[in-house]
Amino acid sequence: MVCGTVCRLLHSKPLRGCVLRAFIPGWLVMWCVPGLAMAGVVWRGDFETGDRSQYSRAQMVNADRLQVVTSPVAEGKYALKATVHQGDDPINASGNRNELVYISNEPVGSEYYYRWKVMFANDFPSVDTWQLFTQWHHDGCCGSPPVEFYVKGEEIRLSLPGTSEIPWRTKLTRGVWHEFILHAKWSSDPKVGFVELWHNKELVLPKRGAMTMYSGQRNYLKLGLYRNDTVKPVGVVYHDGFIQATALSDVLEQKPEPPPVDAGTPIDAGSPMDAGSPEDAGSVDPEPVDAGGAEEPGPQPEADAGTPAWDAGTEPGPNVPPPGGISSDEGAAAQSGCSSTGGSAAAFALLGLMGLAGYRRRKG
């Protein structure tokens, strides 16, 4: 009963400064709202260290193929410039590549949000074959990864090779930053696993069941550029801002709060109006007209599970066009803020409920 009351108060209309929270023990809030207790950033791969140290290792022929640069950047001070020349084959496998590896080893049944930004150079090759820029690879040997993002011709695609699906695609635009947010639950059972995708802040793939892992294997992250070895022109891709978290709110960009509004100096109401002398009313002076004081502004609202067997080639699965593609104008759900109703009366009523609950427990 107490938990239900707390939850209703937390999610109703705003109360100034979230005063009610001062009356609610932290353990009770965490008990009633598990998402608050569990939410948080799991890992950052945003290159703000100024190097590649956030990642487990690099697969590159030379250090100049995976450079941490100060321009261009999507956010912060640093980004990654991934370059591939024909013949770049650092692991003696199929295709050409230079990639960073993060041994994330997402367990079966785990669920995360991933946000990162990618920009394709103005001269990025247009070829009728695959060019991967982000993939969640299985820790077994060989074959296409279960989840991959790649370019083919003039399209950016999300592919699920284990099910031969391309559930989302969009036009390739060069020279601009593309933001991706992938929400995934990792499972080899399509009735359990799922994917959900935002592109440039728009929900473009509503949550749908998918086989996101291969049975008996775990996934790990690879990003950079990996492509068919038939591609001859040099390819350059930039990566920035990678973050992994347990809640959507943790991967969204935090905009700085605006400075407080200056309410200014109250307007001088002037001197009281002279009512003049009364007509034969004796010596009693009339009271001055009350011009009123300027209204003061109210309070502002507060606003290593081991090293995987390296792949011997991870070519994308069959390119099966989706039935008309998937697109949506729906945005991410609004995040509920700190709120309540009833002012101090609700707060003290809540205290009474909590005291009563405690009394009953002691009595029992």
Side-chain angles (χ1 to χ4, degrees):
M1 176 179 177
V2 174
C3 180
T5 302
V6 171
C7 290
R8 285 193 296 273
L9 288 171
L10 284 173
H11 293 287
S12 53
K13 293 181 180 179
L15 180 67
R16 288 180 180 176
C18 293
V19 174
L20 187 59
R21 283 185 183 249
F23 297 93
I24 305 175
W27 63 266
L28 187 55
V29 175
M30 293 170 66
W31 177 35
C32 293
V33 192
L36 289 177
M38 297 175 62
V41 174
V42 175
W43 175 73
R44 289 182 183 273
D46 55 8
F47 308 104
E48 290 306 300
T49 56
D51 54 27
R52 300 185 297 266
S53 62
Q54 294 166 309
Y55 291 79
S56 305
R57 68 190 67 206
Q59 296 177 341
M60 59 185 180
V61 295
N62 288 305
D64 65 350
R65 299 296 204 266
L66 295 173
Q67 292 180 301
V68 176
V69 298
T70 56
S71 180
V73 298
E75 58 187 65
K77 297 180 179 180
Y78 301 98
L80 177 75
K81 178 183 179 182
T83 305
V84 172
H85 295 248
Q86 188 177 34
D88 285 356
D89 188 5
I91 62 172
N92 193 28
S94 64
N96 295 157
R97 78 184 78 210
N98 290 294
E99 296 179 289
L100 286 177
V101 177
Y102 175 60
I103 308 299
S104 50
N105 282 333
E106 284 85 351
V108 176
S110 61
E111 179 181 342
Y112 295 106
Y113 289 84
Y114 306 85
R115 191 261 291 175
W116 73 106
K117 297 179 180 181
V118 181
M119 183 168 72
F120 302 91
N122 290 325
D123 59 355
F124 188 81
S126 177
V127 290
D128 190 25
T129 188
W130 50 272
Q131 300 185 83
L132 274 71
F133 57 91
T134 308
Q135 56 175 312
W136 276 265
H137 201 286
H138 51 296
D139 59 9
C141 173
C142 313
S144 297
V147 178
E148 60 187 12
F149 288 82
Y150 68 99
V151 171
K152 186 172 190 283
E154 290 297 307
E155 285 187 343
I156 299 173
R157 299 179 177 183
L158 163 64
S159 178
L160 305 171
T163 52
S164 301
E165 292 183 79
I166 305 173
W168 174 79
R169 65 182 77 199
T170 192
K171 179 182 178 181
L172 169 64
T173 306
R174 298 170 176 81
V176 299
W177 288 99
H178 295 262
E179 181 187 71
F180 300 91
I181 297 178
L182 174 68
H183 180 200
K185 186 167 185 177
W186 303 106
S187 175
S188 59
D189 184 351
K191 295 181 180 178
V192 176
F194 63 74
V195 292
E196 185 177 25
L197 181 67
W198 287 260
H199 176 244
N200 294 339
K201 297 180 171 45
E202 291 188 17
L203 179 62
V204 294
L205 179 63
K207 185 185 295 185
R208 52 157 296 166
M211 184 181 77
T212 54
M213 305 181 81
Y214 295 139
S215 180
Q217 301 184 39
R218 290 188 176 186
N219 292 347
Y220 62 94
L221 172 69
K222 301 183 75 175
L223 61 80
L225 182 58
Y226 166 50
R227 67 189 195 180
N228 193 309
D229 56 15
T230 62
V231 182
K232 295 181 179 180
V234 175
V236 175
V237 179
Y238 298 89
H239 292 263
D240 200 0
F242 201 105
I243 184 171
Q244 174 185 357
T246 56
L248 177 61
S249 59
D250 290 307
V251 301
L252 297 176
E253 288 188 82
Q254 301 299 320
K255 296 183 179 179
E257 295 184 3
V261 177
D262 184 0
T265 304
I267 299 173
D268 185 359
S271 302
M273 182 183 296
D274 185 359
S277 301
E279 296 180 3
D280 300 326
S283 59
V284 179
D285 291 332
E287 296 181 358
V289 176
D290 185 6
E295 182 180 354
E296 295 182 0
Q300 298 295 318
E302 295 179 358
D304 195 337
T307 303
W310 298 114
D311 54 288
T314 58
E315 298 184 6
N319 296 318
V320 180
I326 299 178
S327 174
S328 174
D329 291 329
E330 297 177 12
Q335 301 300 309
S336 59
C338 164
S339 60
S340 182
T341 55
S344 58
F348 285 112
L350 176 61
L351 283 174
L353 287 171
M354 293 174 61
L356 179 60
Y359 170 76
R360 288 176 177 171
R361 286 196 296 273
R362 289 194 296 271
K363 185 176 180 180

